Amino acid sequence: MEMQDNNPNRNQNGYNNNHNNYNSGGSNQPYPYNYPPPARLQGNSFSTAAMILGIISIPSTAFLPIYLPFILGSLAILFALLSKGRALKLSGNALVGTICGAIGMGVNAALFGIYAFAFLALFSEPDLMRNTAQTYDDMIEQMYGVPTEDIFGESMEDMIEDIFRFSE
């Protein structure tokens, strides 16, 4: 049966006005009453993406530090804000994503500070560098029974002296 434009049982939206029977009048309308199809919630996918990225940003500080946690954490916060739309509050998933993203970026910043401090402390103390190189030379000789000079051509202590030109 074809649908007719002048069907008296249809309203202006094309829905059936006859509430007695489902599909009364032989129409192919899936909804028997004047109800529109259910709508998707706005921002739901953004809040889910924010939560997933925020949660992933925390363990990424251990495996791929410096760049990835900052990227994932900032994307999590951005997606959480985009999911908000015109609403006054963030949804639960968006809030979790924001908190986890901020924690991931904070932990990453703290680890970066520790790495930078250790790097600067190591290279600001020439005696520490020499002692580390001497310990490395001793470990190689104990493990392999051959001095580092035979393996690399010179000892690690001499390499460190050449690279950094420490004065005594």
Side-chain angles (χ1 to χ4, degrees):
M1 291 181 110
E2 292 185 23
M3 293 177 21
Q4 298 176 359
D5 292 336
N6 56 3
N7 186 348
N9 291 331
R10 294 200 176 273
N11 62 12
Q12 65 204 15
N13 296 327
Y15 293 104
N16 194 357
N17 281 334
N18 188 354
H19 300 292
N20 295 333
N21 296 327
Y22 185 78
N23 284 341
S24 65
S27 70
N28 291 328
Q29 184 63 33
Y31 299 102
Y33 303 111
N34 197 13
Y35 298 124
R40 259 183 69 206
L41 294 174
Q42 290 293 330
N44 194 18
S45 58
F46 273 130
S47 64
T48 304
M51 181 182 70
I52 290 170
L53 289 174
I55 290 172
I56 292 174
S57 73
I58 294 174
S60 70
T61 58
F63 300 115
L64 297 167
I66 300 177
Y67 297 113
L68 191 63
F70 279 121
I71 293 170
L72 294 177
S74 60
L75 281 176
I77 293 171
L78 177 71
F79 286 164
L81 292 175
L82 286 175
S83 74
K84 181 181 171 194
R86 296 181 188 265
L88 295 176
K89 296 171 100 178
L90 290 174
S91 68
N93 288 349
L95 189 61
V96 167
T98 303
I99 292 170
C100 289
I103 288 172
M105 290 192 311
V107 167
N108 190 41
L111 286 175
F112 182 73
I114 291 169
Y115 295 154
F117 177 75
F119 183 77
L120 291 175
L122 184 66
F123 287 109
S124 66
E125 293 291 328
D127 292 333
L128 183 61
M129 290 291 289
R130 280 191 206 103
N131 292 340
T132 304
Q134 181 61 41
T135 304
Y136 183 77
D137 287 337
D138 294 340
M139 284 177 31
I140 292 290
E141 190 168 351
Q142 286 177 0
M143 288 173 63
Y144 299 109
V146 178
T148 359
E149 290 89 3
D150 293 345
I151 298 172
F152 297 118
E154 63 180 328
S155 69
M156 289 301 289
E157 190 175 5
D158 293 338
M159 286 183 200
I160 294 295
E161 288 288 332
D162 291 343
I163 291 172
F164 295 103
R165 308 252 185 243
F166 294 128
S167 60
E168 291 188 26

